[in-house]
Amino acid sequence: MENKFCLNGKVALVTGASYGIGLAIASALAKAGAKITFNDINPELVEKGVAAYREAGIEAKGYVCDVTNEEQVNGMVAAIEQEVGVIDILVNNAGIIKRIPMIEMTAAEFRQVIDVDLNAPFIVAKAVIPSMIKKGGGKIINICSMMSELGRETVSAYAAAKGGLKMLTRNIASEYGEYNIQCNGIGPGYIATPQTAPLREPGHPFNSFIIAKTPAARWGTTEDLEGPAVFLASAASDFVNGHVLYVDGGILAYIGKQP
């Protein structure tokens, strides 16, 4: 059974994995045996990411790349194939969010979110799939969101992008499943990261709201995402395709407590 979850010899690319959820997922894949490559648009963040992996005892190779730029992505994928090996596991993690009421959001701001959160996963997946086909298979994991299923005020662009990413996930599974390529998603719930620290202060209304809406009665941690990521990247999930695994403590299953 352990061999089914083993990633020894596999090459993983995790986009936007200099910190946060991407770093946690890449680190989990490394612990399971994978060779880690990652990117960021900012050279300083790539250096910071390499240092963070090194501190954790992980040798990771970082690349400066804008995942919305097809030419840059193709160049990065070619470099990874030459320097590390053909990519077996792709995690489309890079993303942004703009919390702006819809009628106040410009079309340019809307397009930017769509570009990073939906177009980029298409571009990167398109770049790695041909070599996966030649190699005989591969794993693609798209980081979706509860907003792949739900709407919420001020996140119209993000919800549209993540809903689209859910359907892109299903379409990649449909189109390339016959080549032994499994494409699935992970939909994190509300995760405790440095970025969400202000919202998690005791007494903060949003903190109370999330705990009340979550059957687990807590925020998730990046560690909660590690097992699902390794599962979807490993042979243990070879007949799982086009699925979004929501790691949300049960929020999507729960209507909430009666006031």
Side-chain angles (χ1 to χ4, degrees):
M1 181 57 67
E2 286 183 7
N3 289 338
K4 285 187 174 291
F5 294 89
C6 178
L7 301 179
N8 285 346
K10 302 293 185 182
V11 176
L13 167 60
V14 185
T15 65
S18 296
Y19 59 91
I21 288 173
L23 176 66
I25 288 175
S27 298
L29 300 181
K31 291 172 189 174
K35 299 175 185 177
I36 300 303
T37 66
F38 73 98
N39 85 289
D40 210 298
I41 195 171
N42 187 313
E44 289 75 22
L45 282 177
V46 171
E47 292 177 9
K48 182 180 177 181
V50 169
Y53 288 111
R54 187 182 300 119
E55 186 177 345
I58 297 168
E59 184 179 346
K61 194 164 182 61
Y63 296 83
V64 179
C65 177
D66 176 357
V67 287
T68 69
N69 184 310
E70 189 167 14
E71 184 177 350
Q72 287 188 29
V73 168
N74 289 339
M76 176 180 67
V77 169
I80 292 171
E81 290 186 357
Q82 183 176 6
E83 298 167 5
V84 186
V86 171
I87 296 165
D88 301 286
I89 302 159
L90 166 64
V91 183
N92 277 313
N93 167 76
I96 61 171
I97 187 170
K98 290 182 181 291
R99 294 182 177 89
I100 305 171
M102 180 175 166
I103 61 173
E104 297 174 17
M105 179 175 252
T106 66
E109 289 169 329
F110 187 91
R111 289 190 189 102
Q112 184 185 10
V113 175
I114 298 295
D115 207 21
V116 176
D117 292 358
L118 180 57
N119 291 341
F122 163 78
I123 290 168
V124 184
K126 178 185 172 188
V128 304
I129 285 173
S131 290
M132 285 182 173
I133 292 173
K134 290 178 185 176
K135 194 170 183 178
K139 303 281 185 175
I140 299 173
I141 302 171
N142 292 325
I143 303 304
C144 295
S145 166
M146 289 188 300
M147 299 302 110
S148 298
E149 300 290 343
L150 300 172
R152 192 168 180 270
E153 57 277 359
T154 78
V155 294
S156 58
Y158 184 79
K162 292 299 186 177
L165 186 58
K166 174 183 70 175
M167 294 311 300
L168 178 63
T169 299
R170 291 177 176 174
N171 202 78
I172 292 172
S174 301
E175 198 163 349
Y176 296 103
E178 66 178 294
Y179 298 102
N180 191 33
I181 293 172
Q182 291 84 50
C183 182
N184 294 289
I186 292 177
Y190 287 91
I191 304 297
T193 64
Q195 288 79 9
T196 60
L199 299 174
R200 291 182 282 109
E201 292 290 335
H204 194 292
F206 193 76
N207 183 60
S208 303
F209 167 71
I210 292 305
I211 290 175
K213 285 291 293 180
T214 307
R218 66 173 177 87
W219 287 67
T221 67
T222 54
E223 287 79 9
D224 289 320
L225 301 170
E226 294 182 0
V230 171
F231 166 65
L232 292 178
S234 71
S237 62
D238 278 355
F239 205 55
V240 179
N241 213 358
H243 175 73
V244 180
L245 175 53
Y246 290 99
V247 187
D248 65 354
I251 289 180
L252 287 175
Y254 187 43
I255 196 171
K257 292 180 180 178
Q258 181 178 335

